[in-house]
Structure formats: C-alpha cells, structure tokens
Amino acid sequence: MLLIDPRDGDVEDDASSTKGRSLLSLAGTLLAEISLPKLIAAWFLLVVVPSLLLGLAPLIVAAWLSSIPRGMASAYGGLLTFGVLVTVLAIGWFGGRKIFRAVEQAFWALNATAVQPIYALIRETIRHVAEIALSHWLDEARRARLRGWSAAAAGLLLCAFSLFLVWLIGPYTRWTAHFSDLLTPLQLVRPALANAGVILFAYGAAAVFVWGLADASMDQPRGWSDFVDGSLLRRKWRIVHLSDVHVVGERYGFRLESGRLGARGNDRFARLLDQLEAMHAEKPFDHILISGDITDAGRSAEWAEFFAAILRHPNLVARMLILPGNHDINVVDRSNPARLDFPTSPGRRLREMRMLSGLCAVQGARTHVVDLGKRRLGPTVQQWLAPHAADIASFADTGSLRLSIGLAQVWAEAFPVVLPPEDDGGLGIILLNSTALTHFSFTNALGLMSAEQTRAMHAVVRQFPKAQWIVALHHHMVEYPARALKLSERIGTALINGSWFVRQVQRIARRAIVMHGHRHLDWIGRCGRLVIVSAPSPVMEARDTDTTAFYVHTLGVDEAGRYLMAHPERIEIAGTNG
C-alpha cells in the first residue's frame, strides 16, 4: 500500500504556485531561498553602479568644462559642437536600430523596475476597494469612468510623493565640480547618489503623472457582444484560439502557477488535440492560434513533449501558429521563484532559441519576418533563420557567451512573424513578442511591446490595404473590467506600455481584431472600436476532474466589407476520474 501516491504530488509541487499559496507566502519563500551573494552582486551591477554613474555625470561634465580655458573654449567651441553633431549622426546612421533598441529596452527596464509596479499597485488598489464599496452603484459606464479616475488619482498621488522625495534629497545634491574634485572620488559618492536620487524621483514624478493621464484619457475597456449571424458573412474564417497550454516535461508534472490546484501532466492537452482532429474532419479550421505559454518554463523536455503531442496530428500542425509567452521565455526556475540569473547567463538565450526553433518547425515555411528597411514582408522564417542555424545549434550545445551576444540580435529582429493574407481581401495574422526582459522568476509575468515591432505591424498592414487582420500577442494590453476576487490577480501582468499600444492598434481597428492569452480569462471586449479577445487556458485553473474550455471563433466580411465576428463556439474538455 502506498502511503503517499506520487501521482498526486505533494507540497513541493506548490513551491511557485500563485493559486495554492498567497503572495505573502511566496515572498517569504523568496527571502528564505534567494542567493544573497548573487542578489548583492546583481543589485550592485544593475542598481548601484548605474546610479553612481548617473549622479556623477553632471559633476564630471562640470569639472571638464571648468578645466577648459575660456579662450580655448571660445576658439574651439564651434568645432567641438560640429564634431559632436557629426559623431551623433554617424552613430545613428550606422547603428541606429541597435542603439534605439538598446535605449528602448533600458528605458522600459527602468520603468518596469522603479515606476510601473508601484503605479499599477496603487491604481488597482484604488479600483479594487472602490469596486467593492460601490458594487451596488456601478454599471458599465460608471465602471469605465471609475477606471479613468483611479488611474488619474494613482498618477497624481505618486507624482506628489516623488516630488516630496526630491525635496527631501535636494539639500544633499551637488551639481558643480572642479577637476581637482575628481582626484578624491570617494568624497563624491554621497552627492552622486543624491543626484541620482533626485534625477530618478523627478523622472518618476513626471512618468507617473503622464502614465496616469494617458490611462485616464484612453478608451476604457468594456464588455462587447455585438456578434453577427455567421450566415450574413460573404467570406469567413474559422479560428481556433488556444492559449496557456503550459506543457510540462513529466508524465505527472504539475504546472508552476497552479501546483496541485491544476491539472497534472499533459493528458488534457492530448485529449484537446484529439477533439480538434475530430472537429476539423467534420468542419475544417482555417487556423489554430496558440497565443503563448506553450510550455511551463521553456525547458527542452517541455518542448519535446509539445512536439510529441502535436506531431500525431499533422492536419492540425499545418494550420497551427504559435508565439512566445512569458513562461516560454522568462521563467528562470519553475520550482523556485527566488531564482535569478545575471544578464550574461545563457538561460534566457537558450529559451529564446528553443522558441525560434519551435516557430521554425511549426510555421517556418508559411510565415515571414518583416524587412523594416524596405517596410514590407521579408523572407520566410525558415529562410531567414537558415544562416543562423549552425550558431543556434552550437549555442544550444555550449552556451557560449560570444554566440549569445550575436544571437541576441537574431531574437530581437525575429518579430513580428507574419502569416500574410492569401489574397488582397484575405485574412492575415501578425504574431508579436510581448515578453519583457527579466532575469528573475518572481517578475516573469511582465510584458512589453516595442516600438520597432509596432512600426513593423503598421508597415505590413499598409502593404495589404484590403486585408483583414488578427493581431496576436500573449499579454493583455490593459487590466480588464472583469472583477477579480484577489488584488494579486490584477497587478503586474499587463503590458508595461499597454495604453500606448492600445492607441497604436486602434489606428487599424476597422480591419483588426486583437487575440491574446496570459490572464487565463474568458473575456471578449473592446477599447473604443478595437475588439479584443482574451482566451481562457484549457489546462489551468482546474483539477483533473474539472471541465475546462476553449473557443472557436468565426471571423468574416459582410457584403458591405465590414470585418465582423460571429458568436463564438465554446468547446468543453471533460475532466477525468483517474
């Protein structure tokens, strides 16, 4: 007799579960298990050193200027200005995209670390408390206004607090220096840190003020149900929307977030594919979209299990499209939320290369990368990756830092991946990468949409002016009005720059529908004219005995040329008794 059935798991399987454990409990585990030497080193490299450099910059500039004689400064000032201008233009001409990408990543990394989490926490706390207190009074219109007011209030509160900190630190700053001061650098540490604090908090004040106003003034998300009769569509496409299948690498493995409160192993995903195969034989699908979190932690064994499952269904694979989710890329350790990696570690790059390998295998011959220089579709994913195949394979085998640096460019330029429309008025699908750059399991859920991908998206839409589009990404763009039972379910998971990206996609709202996953939330709504479809997870949020579901959507064009959606089909996956 087994005293403990190993198939049922145990408390160890709940180590990182946000469903089975509270955030306070997870935070306690994080503090107990985190590597203090690695944390100190990471803090020093990522926070202390940049802060010192930021604070020292005005002192060094002031000292340099004070060391130049006035006559020389007058004589060579114009030449110096011209030289600086030429240097900046040369750098921009020869390395503009790389530099812009690096600056953009650094900018949003600062916001993701220092601004967005606190702003999102205050905003969602205000909303959460207000929605509970005013639940009897709120209708959809009032809820939308409340969301706008709460964003503005959070921005103003944090702006005022940041300015207060600037006022407190101000007396300790120093903005002028002489060259002789640089000979005793230790004396400059305190003013340098104070300078950095003033600069960062002043930036934070401006950022949260702008962030709050941007969120408050945008079209707030609302529920949407203006579905049409599918028979009215003169042309239609049948789309299976899956997301967050979280394939694990063990027969009885439990998912990171759900622990034992979720399904074990991959049996439900296998049964889902069998169900799709039968449905496809009866009424064919046009596309099967999996909008991220294909694996639970981007491990090789998980990808192997995913391919073992789908390759039994070649008819489905021929219509399948995948894109990266935060679990595919950002989870450092699926069993330990305290685990962090240095930026130079090969782990994240390995997960990125596994994702590119998966993209190439599933849809590489059908989808294309975007040539931003020509502002149009480039080669297929297979063709584009072919010159890098040897380096990718070698990196997977060795984890070489040299190869990792080179392959970073490959990953950055891979998205968006585009399935072009079959003809002028057909349906195209734009697959975006919304994963933010993190090196910490506890913050793996953050999302970001780059300006470069957004420009590429608009370039492709302009190339096919009569086509209809699905814009697919993993993260939800903003927190939606569906009431969450826990405050923890409302914060820290949407796109960092979501309100900006909503405005970008709204420009093509007449010809585009957004589909995403990440929240495991069954919701269809709109921001202004833009229709947004959130997919539930067919394997999460439920034990083996529970029923889960996914949706089949029918999109089409009516006689007037309007892009419309028929009522979705809800497909249930029954639980098991075993």
Side-chain angles (χ1 to χ4, degrees):
M1 179 182 68
L2 286 173
L3 297 179
I4 300 175
D5 189 340
R7 296 171 299 178
D8 294 335
D10 51 43
V11 68
E12 188 177 32
D13 295 291
D14 302 331
S16 300
S17 173
T18 55
K19 303 296 185 284
R21 302 177 63 193
S22 68
L23 286 182
L24 184 61
S25 172
L26 286 172
T29 301
L30 185 152
L31 291 174
E33 296 184 2
I34 198 165
S35 167
L36 288 178
K38 186 178 285 189
L39 177 63
I40 292 169
W43 180 265
F44 183 78
L45 291 173
L46 300 176
V47 178
V48 176
V49 171
S51 296
L52 281 172
L53 292 176
L54 183 64
L56 283 171
L59 297 175
I60 293 173
V61 171
W64 179 70
L65 290 176
S66 68
S67 68
I68 301 176
R70 290 186 178 181
M72 184 181 297
S74 176
Y76 295 103
L79 183 61
L80 179 63
T81 303
F82 178 75
V84 170
L85 180 62
V86 169
T87 302
V88 170
L89 290 175
I91 292 173
W93 178 265
F94 292 107
R97 281 181 64 189
K98 293 181 182 179
I99 293 171
F100 177 82
R101 192 182 297 132
V103 170
E104 183 184 32
Q105 286 181 351
F107 173 78
W108 287 115
L110 169 65
N111 282 278
T113 303
V115 182
Q116 193 268 353
I118 300 174
Y119 164 71
L121 175 63
I122 300 298
R123 183 193 66 202
E124 294 303 320
T125 299
I126 293 173
R127 288 176 180 172
H128 192 66
V129 172
E131 287 177 1
I132 292 174
L134 304 174
S135 58
H136 63 284
W137 177 75
L138 291 176
D139 55 21
E140 187 175 51
R142 287 169 175 166
R143 187 185 296 273
R145 288 198 295 272
L146 174 64
R147 291 176 61 82
W149 295 338
S150 61
L156 290 172
L157 283 172
L158 282 175
C159 177
F161 181 69
S162 298
L163 292 176
F164 173 69
L165 292 177
V166 169
W167 176 75
L168 282 181
I169 299 172
Y172 303 99
T173 60
R174 177 180 172 185
W175 304 102
T176 61
H178 297 284
F179 189 78
S180 58
D181 294 324
L182 302 181
L183 301 177
T184 54
L186 291 180
Q187 295 182 10
L188 298 178
V189 170
R190 193 172 92 163
L193 290 175
N195 291 355
V198 166
I199 293 170
L200 289 174
F201 285 123
Y203 168 76
V208 293
F209 181 76
V210 172
W211 222 321
L213 289 183
D215 282 355
S217 61
M218 69 174 286
D219 292 315
Q220 297 299 319
R222 304 188 182 199
W224 182 86
S225 58
D226 295 335
F227 306 112
V228 300
D229 185 341
S231 63
L232 300 178
L233 301 174
R234 64 174 174 81
R235 186 172 185 182
K236 62 184 76 173
W237 301 274
R238 200 159 179 247
I239 312 296
V240 178
H241 186 192
L242 305 173
S243 193
D244 300 86
V245 294
H246 286 260
V247 172
V248 292
E250 319 89 25
R251 182 180 178 187
Y252 295 105
F254 290 87
R255 272 91 184 157
L256 188 157
E257 287 182 28
S258 293
R260 289 174 295 163
L261 291 180
R264 60 184 172 183
N266 302 318
D267 177 66
R268 191 176 296 251
F269 181 56
R271 289 188 287 114
L272 179 157
L273 294 173
D274 291 338
Q275 203 164 340
L276 283 181
E277 186 77 66
M279 294 172 64
H280 177 68
E282 182 178 338
K283 188 178 180 182
F285 304 120
D286 292 284
H287 304 291
I288 300 170
L289 171 65
I290 308 180
S291 56
D293 280 2
I294 295 130
T295 65
D296 199 47
R299 306 284 295 181
S300 291
E302 295 169 348
W303 279 107
E305 288 288 342
F306 172 72
F307 281 110
I310 66 172
L311 290 177
R312 290 194 289 267
H313 303 277
N315 290 330
L316 302 183
V317 176
R319 292 158 177 79
M320 193 172 285
L321 298 163
I322 63 175
L323 58 85
N326 60 296
H327 278 256
D328 303 311
I329 305 299
N330 282 345
V331 176
V332 177
D333 186 334
R334 72 186 300 266
S335 64
N336 182 5
R339 172 81 182 276
L340 61 87
D341 271 345
F342 290 123
T344 54
S345 299
R348 181 185 170 93
R349 190 75 66 238
L350 276 170
R351 294 188 291 273
E352 292 171 349
M353 294 305 106
R354 291 173 193 142
M355 185 74 230
L356 286 184
S357 178
L359 281 170
C360 190
V362 172
Q363 65 222 37
R366 295 176 287 131
T367 56
H368 296 251
V369 296
V370 179
D371 187 332
L372 264 182
K374 297 179 180 178
R375 298 187 179 181
R376 58 185 301 108
L377 285 188
T380 66
V381 171
Q382 278 187 358
Q383 293 168 339
W384 185 74
L385 284 175
H388 308 290
D391 283 348
I392 291 173
S394 179
F395 175 72
D397 187 46
T398 64
S400 161
L401 178 60
R402 178 185 62 82
L403 290 173
S404 178
I405 294 171
L407 292 174
Q409 189 77 6
V410 177
W411 175 255
E413 295 179 357
F415 296 93
V417 171
V418 180
L419 179 72
E422 59 272 29
D423 53 52
D424 286 347
L427 176 71
I429 301 179
I430 300 173
L431 306 167
L432 299 164
N433 168 33
S434 60
T435 57
L437 182 63
T438 72
H439 304 282
F440 194 20
S441 281
F442 200 66
T443 58
N444 78 83
L446 289 173
L448 170 68
M449 187 51 58
S450 68
E452 189 172 47
Q453 284 192 82
T454 306
R455 288 196 303 272
M457 175 187 71
H458 286 302
V460 170
V461 171
R462 286 193 298 269
Q463 185 180 345
F464 300 93
K466 296 181 181 179
Q468 320 305 316
W469 295 95
I470 293 174
V471 176
L473 68 161
H474 180 61
H475 291 77
H476 51 301
M477 298 182 288
V478 292
E479 292 295 341
Y480 297 145
R483 180 176 170 183
L485 296 178
K486 296 180 180 178
L487 179 61
S488 61
E489 296 175 11
R490 305 177 61 141
I491 58 174
T493 61
L495 291 181
I496 299 169
N497 56 344
S499 60
W500 171 81
F501 187 64
V502 167
R503 288 178 168 87
Q504 293 296 312
V505 188
Q506 281 177 329
R507 292 162 51 184
I508 57 173
R510 292 179 182 272
R511 296 195 288 129
I513 289 175
V514 173
M515 291 188 174
H516 70 82
H518 191 49
R519 273 295 300 271
H520 310 165
L521 184 67
D522 181 355
W523 187 79
I524 299 178
R526 63 181 176 88
C527 282
R529 294 180 57 89
L530 180 65
V531 176
I532 302 168
V533 181
S534 175
S537 170
V539 301
M540 299 283 281
E541 321 298 335
R543 294 180 184 268
D544 288 319
T545 55
D546 296 330
T547 297
T548 56
F550 63 94
Y551 285 88
V552 178
H553 299 281
T554 299
L555 310 179
V557 179
D558 67 3
E559 293 295 337
R562 295 177 300 174
Y563 186 31
L564 303 168
M565 176 186 288
H567 201 284
E569 304 171 56
R570 178 182 168 89
I571 311 299
E572 294 189 342
I573 310 166
T576 60
N577 294 322

